[in-house]
Amino acid sequence: ETGVTQSPTHLIKTRGQQVTLRCSSQSGHNTVSWYQQALGQGPQFIFQYYREEENGRGNFPPRFSGLQFPNYSSELNVNALELDDSALYLCASSRYSGNYGYTFGSGTRLTVV
Amino acid sequence: EDQVTQSPEALRLQEGESSSLNCSYTVSGLRGLFWYRQDPGKGPEFLFTLYSAGEEKEKERLKATLTKKESFLHITAPKPEDSATYLCVVGGGADGLTFGKGTHLIIQP
């Protein structure tokens, strides 16, 4: 059983640029959600994708967007990067109900300079 | 809005010294309470799911319990490899998960 894989592991971008982060979900999981974790804080919910559509969103602006593909993998896109976007971005996959738990990837560390 | 408060923020124990971590939560409807372990720079690693008051789960030196307002993670005779941040989490589904800030646990040999 494969786990959740995220790429890249580290990334440095300049303020104002755009970035795309990628996530492959665990085998048997059909739902992907993304979280932002600032240093010393718990992860914050960005959004969730199910059946290739966003079906839930946290308190993040529209410049945070995503995609889910037919194989359940996903992308997180962030436009017009700001310094405060520097964080660990985590992807989690689950079955739709989430009752069997969520499997997290190791994250992408994004630094905006 | 779901809320999770964990205490203490940090805890330093000697190897073999048992203790408990606390999680207080407020939810509109409990879909599940999860405990995760997170090592520095890594993603959270699933430990337990609890669904109803009175439920208990155990794994090696860890035991999680649940009441209507709190959950406790008991650690018995901890070892240095148990050092990590332990996250209490509620929610799920389209509303996403709500995390506490975590308890940073250090076990000294």
Side-chain angles (χ1 to χ4, degrees):
Chain A
E1 180 178 90
T2 58
V4 174
T5 304
Q6 292 187 242
S7 63
T9 55
H10 295 83
L11 202 53
I12 300 175
K13 288 287 189 177
T14 302
R15 189 172 51 183
Q17 284 188 317
Q18 178 266 344
V19 69
T20 297
L21 310 182
R22 296 179 173 83
C23 171
S24 296
S25 61
Q26 178 171 308
S27 176
H29 287 181
N30 58 12
T31 303
V32 174
S33 50
W34 287 89
Y35 292 80
Q36 180 194 67
Q37 186 174 23
L39 205 60
Q41 302 295 315
Q44 298 288 316
F45 176 59
I46 302 175
F47 46 56
Q48 176 175 282
Y49 275 82
Y50 173 66
R51 289 185 174 177
E52 301 176 49
E53 290 193 1
E54 182 183 306
N55 72 339
R57 190 176 187 94
N59 189 26
F60 280 82
R63 61 188 183 85
F64 286 79
S65 63
L67 287 171
Q68 186 183 31
F69 300 99
N71 66 353
Y72 307 122
S73 67
S74 177
E75 287 182 354
L76 165 65
N77 300 292
V78 187
N79 294 321
L81 283 167
E82 301 177 359
L83 297 179
D84 285 348
D85 295 334
S86 296
L88 181 67
Y89 287 85
L90 296 164
C91 170
S93 74
S94 64
R95 299 181 196 180
Y96 179 65
S97 66
N99 287 347
Y100 298 99
Y102 295 75
T103 302
F104 282 82
S106 293
T108 294
R109 171 68 64 186
L110 173 65
T111 302
V112 182
V113 298
Chain B
E1 182 179 321
D2 295 351
Q3 291 188 333
V4 178
T5 303
Q6 292 188 245
S7 61
E9 291 185 6
L11 182 62
R12 189 182 297 265
L13 300 172
Q14 292 295 124
E15 184 173 0
E17 181 184 0
S18 300
S19 188
S20 295
L21 314 183
N22 176 262
C23 170
S24 298
Y25 64 91
T26 304
V27 296
S28 54
L30 186 64
R31 297 175 56 100
L33 184 140
F34 308 91
W35 281 97
Y36 282 84
R37 167 194 170 127
Q38 187 174 28
D39 293 302
K42 302 291 186 182
E45 177 187 341
F46 173 76
L47 294 174
F48 304 110
T49 306
L50 302 166
Y51 291 106
S52 56
E55 190 174 358
E56 299 182 351
K57 295 267 181 78
E58 286 189 67
K59 179 181 179 180
E60 296 181 357
R61 295 175 293 282
L62 298 176
K63 178 181 177 180
T65 61
L66 182 66
T67 72
K68 288 187 178 179
K69 295 183 178 181
E70 292 179 304
S71 179
F72 294 93
L73 185 65
H74 307 278
I75 184 162
T76 302
K79 299 181 178 182
E81 54 262 42
D82 295 321
S83 298
T85 295
Y86 290 85
L87 296 165
C88 177
V89 189
V90 298
D95 294 329
L97 298 171
T98 298
F99 286 76
K101 292 185 177 180
T103 293
H104 182 50
L105 178 64
I106 297 173
I107 309 299
Q108 294 180 309

